[in-house]
C-alpha cells in the first residue's frame, strides 16, 4: 500500500469508494491518458465509467438521487482522478461546483428539476465568472443583465469555461444594476440552461459557444468562451429564484471556496503521480555503476518531494473538513490551494529532472505533467490572489482593536 497521502479517520464506505476509484484510475485512465491527451480527445468512455460509479452525484443529497457524500470524500476522489489525468477531474470539478451552488443556494424548484439529472451526469454543469478583460478582479466584469418586465436580458462575453460545450447548465455571474451601494451587491448569478454543443444554441437563442480554446495542457476537456447577445431568461433562472437578484457574488464566492479545495486536491494528485514516476525511474535507471536512487542527491530530492506532498495533502484535508463542519474556510482553502499548487509545480519539475533527457520525450508521462501543473498556479485564483485572501483573513482575526 502507498505510504503517501493517507487520510486518517475515514469511514469504511469512504475507504471502499476510494479503493474503487483508484482501481478505475489504474485500469481505465492511466493506460489511455497519454494518447487521449496528445490527441486532445474528449474521454467519452472514461466519463461513461464515472457516470456508472455515480461520481457526478457524489455530493448531491440522496433525496435528489446522489450519494450524499462530503466535500472531503469528493476532494479525495478528485485527488485519485488527477493522479490518473487532471483533465478527467476537471470534467467533474466544475460540475460539482454548480451542483453545490444549486444545493446550497438554489430554489426548491431548481433543486427538484436539476439535481436528479445532475446526479446521473445527464445534465452537467459549467461555472462562469471570468471574462476576456478580467480574471480574479471580479468587480471589473462587464457582462450585464437588464430587467425587462419579469424577464432579464443578458449581454456580454465570458471566458475560460471548463465544460463549456458539454454542459447543459452554466452558472453565470453578471452585473445587474440594482442600486446597491457596493458593486458586489449589484451582481447576480443566472443558471443558463442550454443544449450541449458548440455554436449558437437552439435552446437559448443568443447564447453562443464559438469553439474550443487551444491550450498548452489540460487537454481532452474543452475550455471555451461564451458570448451572450440578447439572451432572454425568466426571473426564475436566477440562482435561488427572482428574489435572489444581487446575491450572485456571495453565492459564487461560496462555490469558489469549494473549488479551491478541489484545485488543491488536483495538485496533490498530480504530485503523487509525479513522485510515483520519479521513484520508479530512479530505481530502474543506472548511472556511475549504481541505481539513481543510491546517489544521495537523488535520494534527497525524493525525500523533499514526499514531504511536500504530505504537507499539501494535510492542508487540503483540513480545509475540506472545515467546510464540511459548516465553518468558514476562506483562509484555509486559500492556504491549501496556494501550497498545493506551488508544491505541485516543484515536485513535477524535480521528477522531470530525475528523468533527465527522457523526461523531454512525449513517450514519458512526466512530459504531460510538466504541461499540466502550471495551470493549477492560476486556476481558481493565482497564488498572489490566495496570499491576498490569506492576509486579509489573518488581519480579520489578529487585527489590533
Amino acid at each position: 500500500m502507498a505510504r503517501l497521502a493517507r487520510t486518517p479517520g475515514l469511514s469504511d464506505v469512504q475507504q471502499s469508494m476510494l479503493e474503487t476509484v483508484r482501481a478505475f484510475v489504474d485500469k481505465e485512465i492511466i493506460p489511455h491518458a497519454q494518447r487521449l491527451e496528445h490527441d486532445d480527445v474528449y474521454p467519452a468512455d472514461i466519463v461513461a465509467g464515472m457516470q456508472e460509479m455515480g461520481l457526478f452525484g457524489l455530493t448531491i443529497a440522496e433525496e435528489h438521487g446522489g450519494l450524499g457524500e462530503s466535500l472531503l470524500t469528493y476532494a479525495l476522489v478528485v485527488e485519485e482522478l488527477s493522479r490518473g489525468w487532471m483533465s478527467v477531474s476537471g470534467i467533474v470539478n466544475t460540475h460539482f461546483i454548480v451542483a453545490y451552488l444549486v444545493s446550497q443556494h438554489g430554489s426548491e424548484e431548481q433543486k427538484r428539476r436539476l439535481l436528479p439529472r445532475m446526479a446521473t451526469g445527464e445534465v452537467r454543469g459549467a461555472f462562469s465568472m471570468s471574462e476576456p478583460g478580467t480574471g480574479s478582479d471580479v468587480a471589473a466584469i462587464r457582462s450585464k443583465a437588464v430587467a425587462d418586465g419579469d424577464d432579464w436580458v443578458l449581454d456580454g462575453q465570458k471566458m475560460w469555461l471548463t465544460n463549456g460545450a458539454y454542459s447543459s447548465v452554466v452558472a453565470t455571474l453578471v452585473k445587474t444594476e440594482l442600486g446597491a451601494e457596493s458593486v458586489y451587491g449589484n451582481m447576480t448569478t443566472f443558471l443558463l440552461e442550454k443544449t450541449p454543443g458548440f455554436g449558437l444554441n437552439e435552446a437559448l437563442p443568443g447564447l453562443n459557444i464559438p469553439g474550443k480554446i487551444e491550450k498548452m495542457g489540460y487537454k481532452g476537456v474543452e475550455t471555451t468562451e461564451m458570448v451572450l447577445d440578447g439572451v432572454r431568461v425568466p426571473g426564475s433562472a436566477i440562482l435561488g429564484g427572482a428574489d435572489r437578484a444581487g446575491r450572485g457574488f456571495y453565492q459564487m464566492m461560496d462555490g469558489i471556496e469549494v473549488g479551491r479545495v478541489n484545485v488543491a486536491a488536483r495538485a496533490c494528485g498530480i504530485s503523487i503521480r509525479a513522485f510515483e514516476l520519479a521513484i520508479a525511474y530512479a530505481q530502474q535507471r543506472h548511472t556511475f555503476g549504481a541505481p539513481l536512487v543510491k546517489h544521495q542527491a537523488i535520494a534527497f530530492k525524493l525525500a523533499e518531494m514526499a514531504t511536500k506532498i504530505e504537507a499539501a495533502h494535510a492542508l487540503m484535508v483540513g480545509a475540506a473538513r472545515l467546510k464540511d463542519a459548516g465553518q468558514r474556510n476562506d483562509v484555509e482553502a486559500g492556504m491549501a490551494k496556494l501550497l498545493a499548487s506551488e508544491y505541485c509545480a516543484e515536485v513535477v519539475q524535480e521528477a522531470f529532472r530525475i528523468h533527465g533527457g527522457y523526461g523531454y520525450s512525449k513517450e514519458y508521462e512526466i512530459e504531460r505533467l510538466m504541461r499540466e501543473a502550471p495551470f493549477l498556479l492560476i486556476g481558481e485564483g493565482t497564488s498572489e490572489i490566495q496570499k491576498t485572501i490569506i492576509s486579509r483573513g489573518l488581519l480579520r482575526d489578529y487585527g489590533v482593536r
Side-chain angles (χ1 to χ4, degrees), residues 2 22 35 37 61 67 87 121 136 143-144 147 152 162 172 180 215-216 223 239 259 279 303 317 336 344 349:
R22 176 171 277 260
R35 172 182 56 83
E37 198 274 345
L67 299 179
S87 294
S136 298
S143 297
K144 63 181 180 179
W152 291 81
T162 301
T172 308
K215 300 164 293 187
M216 177 177 76
T223 304
L239 177 60
I279 199 168
V317 168
C344 177
Q349 187 173 82

Side-chain angles (χ1 to χ4, degrees), residues 111-389:
K111 293 176 186 178
R112 287 194 305 270
R113 185 166 48 81
L114 292 174
L115 290 178
R117 291 185 296 152
M118 294 186 80
T120 63
E122 174 194 348
V123 167
R124 297 181 203 159
F127 181 87
S128 180
M129 275 200 320
S130 295
E131 297 185 0
T134 182
S136 298
D137 182 12
V138 182
I141 65 171
R142 300 176 64 182
S143 297
K144 63 181 180 179
V146 177
D148 183 13
D150 293 333
D151 292 345
W152 291 81
V153 180
L154 283 69
D155 290 282
Q157 185 177 4
K158 308 300 283 188
M159 194 72 172
W160 308 119
L161 280 74
T162 301
N163 293 329
Y166 281 89
S167 61
S168 301
V169 56
V170 185
T172 308
L173 185 69
V174 297
K175 283 193 172 176
T176 45
E177 295 303 332
L178 301 171
E181 293 183 7
S182 169
V183 64
Y184 302 110
N186 288 308
M187 295 184 182
T188 300
T189 298
F190 287 84
L191 298 176
L192 301 182
E193 297 180 49
K194 66 181 185 65
T195 52
F198 291 100
L200 289 169
N201 206 267
E202 295 179 3
L204 201 56
L207 188 149
N208 184 17
I209 304 292
K212 184 167 62 175
I213 298 171
E214 297 296 331
K215 300 164 293 187
M216 177 177 76
Y218 199 31
K219 298 187 176 184
V221 56
E222 83 281 9
T223 304
T224 73
E225 299 176 64
M226 181 172 68
V227 178
L228 306 170
D229 183 11
V231 175
R232 179 177 290 271
V233 294
S236 59
I238 293 173
L239 177 60
D243 61 345
R244 304 306 286 170
R247 297 297 302 168
F249 174 80
Y250 308 101
Q251 294 167 338
M252 293 295 244
M253 288 304 104
D254 187 24
I256 282 290
E257 285 181 11
V258 170
R260 284 176 179 143
V261 172
N262 286 314
V263 170
R266 283 200 246 182
C268 289
I270 292 178
S271 297
I272 292 167
R273 186 57 182 162
F275 177 83
E276 290 173 347
L277 295 170
I279 199 168
Y281 185 83
Q283 293 174 81
Q284 297 162 3
R285 173 74 166 168
H286 285 66
T287 60
F288 303 103
L292 280 179
V293 76
K294 294 296 184 181
H295 300 292
Q296 190 178 67
I298 301 300
F300 280 10
K301 282 182 185 292
L302 294 169
E304 291 173 359
M305 292 161 68
T307 302
K308 289 175 179 178
I309 290 169
E310 285 291 292
H313 177 83
L315 271 183
M316 179 270 291
V317 168
R321 282 183 162 148
L322 202 61
K323 190 77 170 178
D324 283 331
Q327 299 181 44
R328 186 172 184 175
N329 79 335
D330 56 335
V331 171
E332 290 77 10
M335 287 178 171
K337 195 275 178 184
L338 171 65
L339 194 77
S341 61
E342 292 286 351
Y343 275 178
C344 177
E346 294 172 14
V347 167
V348 169
Q349 187 173 82
E350 291 292 10
F352 173 78
R353 290 179 174 182
I354 288 171
H355 279 76
Y358 287 102
Y360 212 64
S361 168
K362 286 194 172 184
E363 294 181 18
Y364 281 73
E365 219 175 310
I366 193 64
E367 175 270 341
R368 169 169 58 83
L369 302 188
M370 277 290 290
R371 291 184 287 104
E372 290 178 340
F375 169 76
L376 300 173
L377 296 170
I378 55 176
E380 307 291 9
T382 63
S383 292
E384 290 71 27
I385 289 294
Q386 307 311 316
K387 291 174 185 177
T388 300
I389 293 167

